[in-house]
Amino acid sequence: MAVATLPADELRDLYKSLILAHAREPRNYGPMAAATHEARGLNRLCGDRLHIYLSLDGDRLSDARFDGTGCAISMASASLLTEAVQGMPKDEALEFGRALIARLNGDGDIDSGALGDLRALEGVREFPSRVKCATLAWQTLFAAFESGDDVATTE
Ligand code: ZN
């Protein structure tokens, strides 16, 4: 059955289980020895701490990994990020991240179909304090490209 044909409450449950699945068994978890870009992120409100590792091959992301500790949403968001950006050109990953953050803050115009599994995070829009948990991984990805050793925060 296509996801789009499910009623809204079933969709919500599906996305909740997707978030829990990623939080329990994060994809691409653990440090990367040969990262070309990396940064740490901290969400003080919740205590989420992430370390994002990226490997750029030319202008394309050939690998993305993370580790850290935090709530289910922050862990799932980082896990989803590492899957979403594999093989993406750097500029596309940055644009995608900005569009997703705008969407989670309620003012984005990205089509939710373009988000793929990251639609699972849209539920946080109902809980403003959780938006920072969901966006931390992306803020950390931006920081990895911008500087290197700075700690990204959601403040
Ligand atoms: Zn959190």
Side-chain angles (χ1 to χ4, degrees):
M1 190 192 311
V3 163
T5 64
L6 290 171
D9 54 341
E10 285 185 38
L11 260 185
R12 197 167 304 178
D13 287 349
L14 190 69
Y15 287 145
K16 193 159 61 173
S17 59
L18 185 70
I19 284 180
L20 291 175
H22 274 268
R24 276 196 206 108
E25 288 184 63
R27 317 299 196 268
N28 306 303
Y29 189 90
M32 184 193 298
T36 59
H37 297 73
E38 59 184 289
R40 282 180 294 264
L42 169 64
N43 175 14
R44 288 193 179 86
L45 280 180
C46 181
D48 309 316
R49 292 171 183 276
L50 293 176
H51 195 151
I52 298 267
Y53 308 85
L54 305 169
S55 178
L56 260 193
D57 181 7
D59 72 341
R60 199 166 283 273
L61 279 158
S62 57
D63 200 8
R65 300 183 62 79
F66 85 101
D67 59 19
T69 55
C71 68
I73 291 171
S74 67
M75 292 294 108
S77 177
S79 175
L80 286 160
L81 176 152
T82 62
E83 286 198 325
V85 303
Q86 300 277 346
M88 258 191 196
K90 173 190 167 186
D91 288 348
E92 194 180 318
L94 292 172
E95 193 179 322
F96 186 88
R98 282 191 285 266
L100 175 70
I101 288 170
R103 176 94 187 163
L104 295 181
N105 281 306
D107 54 24
D109 57 4
I110 188 174
D111 176 53
S112 67
L115 295 175
D117 281 352
L118 287 144
R119 284 178 72 184
L121 297 172
E122 288 191 311
V124 303
R125 289 188 298 177
E126 295 167 42
F127 309 98
S129 67
R130 288 299 193 171
V131 170
K132 290 180 174 179
C133 301
T135 57
L136 176 64
W138 293 91
Q139 303 285 7
T140 308
L141 175 136
F142 298 158
F145 281 132
E146 277 162 17
S147 44
D149 290 329
D150 289 353
V151 175
T153 72
T154 50
E155 304 313 307

